[in-house]
């Protein structure tokens, strides 16, 4: 067989059908080289262009008297053609058309059989292209005996299938190896690269994939051809990175991946006429990658890596064949395609390289196994020694554990002693405080005729009592927080509603110092999840400090607004300020800042410490900013709830405290053993129409409640001589049953959980000492109606 290479008659923009008028072929437009592209002189005016249609013609003289069956082997033609020999239509691929709508591409090689006549073969090919970057007859057309041409084509297809099969088996082998030995990614990427090239072999050349999928459209196998070449570079780049981890720069690897990703995205997204134009710049990327790989192998070899030579030589050979094929495909040189041979050599050399590496790895493993066997003997000996040491250590651990248990018991005993001390201290302090605060309240409320000087002394007594009570409460609060026993009733809290009444409640304290107290609550003040009582405690503490440390005639205030996902409440003042060194120290327990301006400040030094810890219990923060002489800013930041809760749905605290002169009626029994508290109670109830009976012992209370009365309400102390209040309540309930009146526990037990404990033991309500007259009358009014 011979290739019909050379100049053919070329009729541009004309579909010439043989068998018509004799002079149809008398005046060709030009002569054009086959194989090759018509792009350089295809258009009617001779200008370059890939799109359009034309007719090729060649007359071949045959030996006289030749009547054997002959064949024409037609390769890929861009991108549709019809073939005629001696005026007979032998077939074609795709649909030849004069517009993109009429033309349908197909570039599948084929063999056409014919029996020549008159000693010549007049070959006419009508070609159209609107779907590829090049048009025309791309590959040689071979003419020869049918048997010889078909045999050559079958041999070529067998070679392609053989090469694709070897690549596929090699790919699966290395992928399985990578799955078993996961530490070496070289096998994985080499296997994936072989799989990619194997798939490419099925859609190029004779397109073996069409033997299995004959209906596969042209766009499908063309995209597969381009995508496989697009994926080859990143896969083999990762393979080289695994072989030369130090020499392959990560930036270069990323650059190749990005360029290949852009190319593959164009192949997937664009029509064939556009994405085929990208192959030329991508071929530059391929040449650049091969050059970079060869350069890396050279550098690695110079650094003493013996494996580099097994990459360098076949890589250089493959690069040379790739450059040859790129130049040949673009019509720059006229050779043959050499990539399959170069690729075959490169693939097998890398397979040998990986096999050699695994062999060395297994040899190393055997040597290490022998070493490990020796070390295992040593370890066995050491293990026996360790067992002995372990036994000794276990004995020491048991001994140490026993010591730790003793220390734990001591710590728990100390904790119980601390709790008992705090409870006892709270009880012993609250009872006399009840008298101090109660009598001072009575003097201030009732004795209007007391001289102002004496009223001032009474106010000092009252303030001292309030201060002492605040100290007791602060110590108890701090103790509960440190022990992790402080509980918070977490509910949605409307910050605007919570803050609205606080400045007004602090106004009298500010007025005493002649301070201006400002408040700005933003319209965007949102909802937080928290304990309203404890949040109010934090803000009141901050405002009290601002008033305390602001000189007379100064200014303090409160600002509240949402900031992103946070609610920020800022209390500021124009007071004495705090030095930078003391800003964090003031949040420590019992720490106070003393300056020349404020002397020794009042308080326990616990307020800010408690406020910060309460803020942290709410998932928030409390921070301070200050400048000496210019004032301070304390900011409470709380996380906003996920959604705003309407103000109407949030529980509102609007206590209505009755005054001393509110009308009460009924008969009550007061059980109290402290004479001072009894006197206080008598004074508090003096101006009310309540009929009060007093008892100082538990058994006396039982006798009066069950044999006297009847009483509408019982106020019961807990710690009583003889029978305590809890036992007395049980005796009264046993005697009266459902007829028992409400019984209020009136006690100095005010630790966390005491209220719930007394309610669980049968008391109707709970009134902790010290209590004010308003507290007492409010409870009585609630239960007496």
């Amino acid at each position: 067989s011979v290739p019909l290479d050379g100049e053919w008659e070329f009729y541009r923009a004309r579909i010439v059908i043989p068998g018509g008028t004799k002079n149809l072929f008398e005046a060709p437009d030009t002569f054009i080289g086959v194989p090759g592209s018509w792009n350089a002189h295809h258009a009617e005016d001779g200008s370059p262009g890939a799109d359009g249609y034309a007719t090729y013609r060649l007359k071949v003289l045959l030996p006289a008297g030749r009547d054997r069956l002959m064949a024409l082997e037609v390769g890929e033609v861009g991108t549709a053609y019809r073939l005629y020999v001696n005026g007979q239509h032998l077939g074609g691929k795709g649909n030849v058309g004069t517009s993109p709508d009429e033309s349908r591409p197909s570039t599948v090689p084929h063999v056409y059989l014919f029996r020549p006549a008159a000693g010549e073969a007049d070959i006419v090919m009508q070609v159209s292209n609107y779907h590829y970057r090049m048009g025309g007859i791309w590959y040689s057309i071979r003419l020869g005996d049918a048997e010889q041409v078909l045999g050559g084509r079958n041999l070529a297809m067998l070679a392609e299938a053989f090469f694709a099969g070897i690549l596929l088996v090699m790919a699966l082998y290395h992928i399985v190896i990578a799955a078993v030995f996961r530490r070496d990614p070289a096998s994985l990427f080499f296997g994936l690269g072989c799989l990619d090239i194997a798939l490419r072999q099925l859609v190029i050349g004779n397109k073996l994939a069409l033997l299995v999928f004959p209906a596969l459209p042209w766009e499908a196998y063309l995209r597969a051809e381009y995508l496989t070449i697009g994926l080859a570079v990143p896969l083999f780049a990762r393979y080289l990175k695994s072989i030369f981890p130090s020499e392959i720069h990560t930036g270069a690897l990323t650059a190749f991946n990005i360029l290949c990703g852009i190319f593959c995205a164009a192949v997937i997204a664009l029509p064939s006429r556009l994405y085929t134009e990208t192959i030329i710049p991508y071929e530059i990327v391929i040449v650049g990658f091969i050059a970079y790989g060869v350069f890396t192998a050279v550098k690695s070899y110079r650094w003493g890596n013996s494996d580099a030579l097994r990459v360098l030589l076949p890589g250089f050979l493959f690069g040379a064949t790739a450059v040859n094929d790129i130049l040949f495909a673009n019509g720059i040189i006229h050779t043959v395609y050499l990539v399959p041979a170069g690729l075959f050599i490169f693939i097998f050399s890398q397979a040998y390289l990986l096999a050699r590496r695994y062999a060395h790895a297994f040899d190393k493993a055997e040597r290490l196994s022998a070493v490990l066997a020796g070390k295992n003997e040593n370890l066995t000996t050491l293990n026996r020694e360790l067992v002995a040491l372990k036994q000794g250590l276990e004995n020491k651990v048991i001994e140490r554990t026993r010591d730790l248990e003793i220390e734990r018991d001591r710590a728990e005993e100390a904790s119980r002693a601390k709790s008992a001390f705090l409870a006892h201290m709270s009880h012993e302090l609250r009872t006399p405080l009840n008298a101090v605060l109660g009598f001072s309240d009575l003097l201030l409320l009732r004795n209007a005729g007391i001289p102002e000087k004496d009223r001032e002394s009474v106010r000092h007594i009252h303030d001292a009592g309030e201060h002492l009570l605040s100290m007791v409460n602060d110590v108890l609060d701090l103790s509960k927080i440190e022990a992790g026993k402080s509980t918070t009733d977490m509910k949605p809290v409307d910050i605007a509603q919570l803050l609205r009444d606080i400045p007004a409640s602090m106004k009298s304290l500010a007025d005493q110092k002649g301070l201006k107290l400002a408040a700005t609550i933003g319209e965007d003040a949102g909802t937080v999840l928290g304990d309203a009582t404890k949040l109010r405690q934090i803000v009141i503490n901050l405002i009290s400090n601002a008033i305390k440390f602001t000189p007379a005639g100064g200014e303090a205030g409160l600002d509240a607004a949402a900031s992103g996902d946070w609610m920020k409440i800022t209390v500021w003042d124009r007071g004495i300020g705090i030095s930078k060194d003391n800003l964090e120290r003031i949040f420590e327990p019992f720490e106070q800042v003393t300056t020349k301006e404020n002397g020794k400040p009042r308080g326990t030094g616990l307020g800010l410490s408690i406020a910060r810890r309460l803020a942290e219990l709410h998932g928030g923060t409390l921070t301070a900013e200050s400048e000496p002489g210019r004032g301070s800013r304390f900011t409470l930041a709380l996380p906003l709830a996920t959604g705003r809760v309407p103000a109407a749905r949030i529980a509102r605290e609007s206590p209505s405290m009755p005054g001393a002169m509110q009308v009460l009626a009924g008969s009550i029994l007061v059980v109290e053993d402290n004479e001072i508290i009894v006197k206080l109670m008598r004074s508090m109830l003096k101006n009310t129409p309540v009929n009060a009976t007093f008892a100082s012992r538990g058994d006396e209370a039982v006798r009066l409640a069950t044999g006297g009365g009847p009483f509408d309400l019982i106020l019961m102390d807990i710690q009583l001589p003889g029978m305590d209040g809890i036992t007395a309540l049980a005796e009264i309930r046993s005697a009266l049953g459902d007829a028992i009146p409400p019984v209020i526990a009136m006690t100095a037990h005010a630790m966390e959980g005491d209220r719930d404990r007394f309610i669980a033991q049968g008391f109707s309500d709970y009134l902790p000492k010290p209590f004010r007259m308003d507290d007492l009358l409010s409870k009585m009014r609630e239960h007496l109606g």
Side-chain angles (χ1 to χ4, degrees):
S1 63
V2 295
L4 303 182
D5 295 350
E7 292 187 336
W8 289 46
E9 294 179 7
F10 186 66
Y11 303 83
R12 66 167 65 96
R14 294 162 62 185
I15 300 296
V16 181
I17 301 175
T21 307
K22 290 184 179 181
N23 63 354
L24 283 178
F25 293 107
E26 289 181 357
D29 296 315
T30 185
F31 292 88
I32 190 169
V34 174
S37 165
W38 70 28
N39 287 27
H41 47 275
H42 166 256
E44 289 188 37
D45 57 358
S47 61
D51 298 345
Y53 54 94
T55 301
Y56 289 77
R57 179 173 179 257
L58 181 72
K59 181 179 289 188
V60 182
L61 301 181
L62 302 175
R66 187 178 182 88
D67 60 352
R68 293 182 59 184
L69 190 64
M70 301 193 71
L72 277 173
E73 183 180 10
V74 181
E76 296 183 75
V77 176
T79 53
Y81 71 90
R82 283 194 295 263
L83 175 65
Y84 297 85
V85 176
N86 295 331
Q88 178 186 0
H89 179 216
L90 297 186
K93 294 296 178 181
N95 288 337
V96 177
T98 59
S99 68
D101 294 334
E102 294 179 3
S103 182
R104 181 173 60 83
S106 177
T107 54
V108 181
H110 196 73
V111 174
Y112 300 93
L113 305 179
F114 69 96
R115 193 172 297 278
E120 65 179 23
D122 191 5
I123 303 170
V124 176
M125 289 187 69
Q126 302 165 354
V127 182
S128 68
N129 173 62
Y130 294 94
H131 299 84
Y132 198 74
R133 67 185 182 90
M134 293 190 305
I137 303 174
W138 301 336
Y139 298 99
S140 296
I141 297 177
R142 300 190 71 85
L143 174 66
D145 290 338
E147 182 178 352
Q148 186 182 32
V149 172
L150 289 172
R153 183 169 184 269
N154 290 337
L155 186 62
M157 294 177 67
L158 180 62
E160 291 178 4
F162 177 73
F163 186 42
I166 288 179
L167 287 174
L168 183 60
V169 171
M170 194 175 295
L172 295 177
Y173 170 77
H174 284 92
I175 290 173
V176 170
I177 290 292
V180 175
F181 301 99
R182 298 185 180 181
R183 290 187 175 182
D184 186 10
S187 288
L188 174 62
F189 290 110
F190 182 73
L192 292 176
C194 289
L195 181 62
D196 179 74
I197 300 300
L199 295 177
R200 176 175 172 77
Q201 287 300 116
L202 299 177
V203 295
I204 64 173
N206 288 290
K207 297 178 172 46
L208 299 178
L210 294 176
L211 298 177
V212 183
F213 305 103
L216 195 67
W218 179 79
E219 278 283 358
Y221 62 75
L222 184 67
R223 287 187 196 275
E225 175 186 345
Y226 272 64
L227 285 174
T228 51
I229 195 173
L231 293 173
V233 170
L235 289 174
F236 281 104
R238 291 300 302 269
Y239 164 71
L240 289 180
K241 177 68 175 176
S242 304
I243 298 294
F244 309 118
S246 301
E247 293 84 348
I248 296 289
H249 195 275
T250 304
L253 187 66
T254 303
F256 282 122
N257 287 339
I258 292 174
L259 293 173
C260 297
I262 294 172
F263 175 75
C264 291
V267 172
I268 294 172
L270 299 177
S272 60
R273 184 60 184 85
L274 295 179
Y275 72 71
T276 54
E277 295 286 353
T278 63
I279 191 63
I280 294 179
Y282 187 69
E283 287 170 344
I284 298 174
V285 174
I286 295 175
V287 173
F289 167 68
I290 295 173
Y292 183 73
V294 171
F295 168 76
T296 301
V298 171
K299 182 169 64 174
S300 181
Y301 180 71
R302 292 179 62 185
W303 288 356
N305 185 355
S306 59
D307 287 341
L309 199 60
R310 296 175 179 85
V311 176
L312 175 61
L313 296 179
F316 182 80
L317 178 62
F318 173 64
T321 61
V323 171
N324 170 83
D325 285 18
I326 291 172
L327 297 176
F328 176 64
N330 289 280
I332 299 175
I333 62 176
H334 300 284
T335 56
V336 293
Y337 282 114
L338 298 175
V339 158
L343 185 61
F344 188 83
I345 295 173
F346 178 77
I347 291 292
F348 271 85
S349 66
Q350 300 316 294
Y352 169 75
L353 171 62
L354 292 177
R356 187 172 178 275
R357 292 181 65 181
Y358 284 125
H360 286 173
F362 283 125
D363 290 342
K364 187 176 180 180
E366 289 182 358
R367 292 194 303 270
L368 290 176
S369 178
V371 174
L372 288 175
K375 292 188 177 293
N376 188 52
E377 278 187 37
N378 297 334
L379 288 175
T380 303
T381 304
L382 290 173
N383 186 58
R384 286 193 292 269
E385 296 176 2
L386 286 174
V387 169
L389 289 173
K390 175 176 173 289
Q391 189 61 44
L393 286 173
E394 286 179 351
N395 294 335
K396 289 185 178 181
V397 168
I398 292 172
E399 182 181 348
R400 183 57 181 158
T401 301
R402 190 182 303 113
D403 293 340
L404 290 175
E405 289 176 349
I406 294 172
E407 294 297 329
R408 182 200 63 196
D409 293 341
R410 288 177 180 172
E412 291 177 351
E413 182 63 30
S415 179
R416 286 192 293 270
K418 174 185 173 184
S419 298
F421 168 75
L422 289 174
H424 182 72
M425 181 197 74
S426 172
H427 184 275
E428 294 304 317
L429 288 176
R430 286 176 181 274
T431 299
L433 276 174
N434 202 128
V436 173
L437 293 174
F439 280 117
S440 60
D441 269 346
L442 286 174
L443 287 172
L444 291 173
L445 290 172
R446 292 183 176 176
N447 298 320
I450 297 178
E452 183 58 34
K453 181 178 179 181
D454 293 337
R455 289 180 64 83
E456 184 67 24
S457 298
V458 173
R459 275 194 290 269
H460 288 320
I461 294 171
H462 184 272
D463 291 346
E466 290 282 2
H467 178 58
L468 183 56
L469 178 60
S470 174
M471 290 178 64
V472 172
N473 289 333
D474 284 349
V475 170
L476 293 177
D477 283 345
L478 184 62
S479 175
K480 287 185 287 186
I481 293 173
E482 288 182 340
K485 296 179 179 179
S486 179
T487 59
T488 52
D489 184 15
M490 304 297 279
K491 295 179 180 177
V493 178
D494 188 323
I495 291 298
Q497 177 186 329
L498 177 76
L499 299 179
R500 194 170 291 119
D501 299 329
I502 292 179
S505 66
M506 305 296 293
K507 187 175 184 301
S508 60
L509 186 61
D511 290 344
Q512 291 177 14
K513 292 189 67 174
L515 300 181
K516 180 181 178 183
L517 189 61
T520 304
I521 302 173
E523 294 182 358
D524 60 346
T527 302
V528 302
L529 195 65
D531 187 319
T533 301
K534 288 184 169 58
L535 293 178
R536 182 182 178 88
Q537 178 183 348
I538 297 172
V539 178
I540 289 178
N541 181 285
L542 296 177
I543 295 179
S544 298
N545 282 349
I547 293 173
K548 184 189 303 181
F549 293 104
T550 301
E555 187 178 4
L558 176 148
D559 297 331
S563 177
D565 296 332
W566 293 83
M567 183 66 217
K568 292 190 176 182
I569 303 169
T570 301
V571 176
W572 54 270
D573 63 71
R574 302 285 186 264
I576 59 176
I578 306 167
S579 67
K580 186 176 181 180
D581 296 338
N582 291 323
L583 271 181
E584 282 302 315
R585 189 167 65 85
I586 60 175
F587 290 104
E588 296 298 323
F590 304 104
E591 289 286 349
Q592 294 177 296
V593 179
T594 302
T595 65
K596 293 181 180 180
E597 291 81 1
N598 70 334
K600 182 178 181 180
R602 297 176 57 192
T604 62
L606 294 174
L608 286 176
S609 177
I610 293 172
R612 171 171 276 188
R613 299 191 189 196
L614 289 176
E616 292 170 351
L617 283 176
H618 286 77
T621 60
L622 179 60
T623 56
E625 303 173 28
S626 185
E627 185 177 344
R630 303 193 66 176
S632 306
R633 293 175 64 86
F634 288 82
T635 301
L636 171 63
L638 300 169
L640 286 167
T642 53
R644 282 189 63 89
V645 177
R649 292 178 56 190
I650 301 177
R652 301 174 182 270
E653 291 186 13
S654 55
S656 177
M657 296 296 184
M661 301 308 295
Q662 283 186 292
V663 177
L664 293 172
S667 176
I668 68 171
L669 173 62
V670 180
V671 187
E672 174 63 61
D673 65 325
N674 188 291
E675 295 181 3
I676 298 176
I677 301 299
V678 171
K679 290 181 180 180
L680 175 63
M681 296 287 292
R682 290 184 187 276
S683 298
M684 285 183 172
L685 300 174
K686 180 178 179 181
N687 293 328
T688 66
V690 172
N691 181 21
T693 302
F694 290 85
S696 60
R697 296 174 59 85
D699 52 358
E700 182 183 3
V702 173
R703 179 177 57 79
L704 290 173
T706 57
F711 295 104
D712 300 308
L713 178 65
I714 300 175
L715 300 175
M716 179 79 73
D717 192 13
I718 300 300
Q719 287 188 324
L720 295 170
M723 182 185 295
D724 62 25
I726 296 173
T727 307
L729 172 64
E731 294 284 341
I732 296 171
R733 186 178 299 280
S734 177
L736 298 182
D738 293 339
I740 185 173
V743 181
I744 299 176
M746 186 176 64
T747 176
H749 289 288
M751 297 288 286
E752 181 80 17
D754 280 343
R755 173 187 173 85
D756 295 338
R757 178 164 61 88
F758 291 129
I759 296 299
Q761 288 171 341
F763 287 94
S764 305
D765 208 338
Y766 169 80
L767 180 63
K769 298 177 183 177
F771 53 81
R772 296 173 179 81
M773 184 172 68
D774 285 347
D775 299 331
L776 174 64
L777 295 179
S778 176
K779 291 290 184 184
M780 292 173 61
R781 184 167 181 263
E782 181 180 345
H783 291 282
L784 291 175

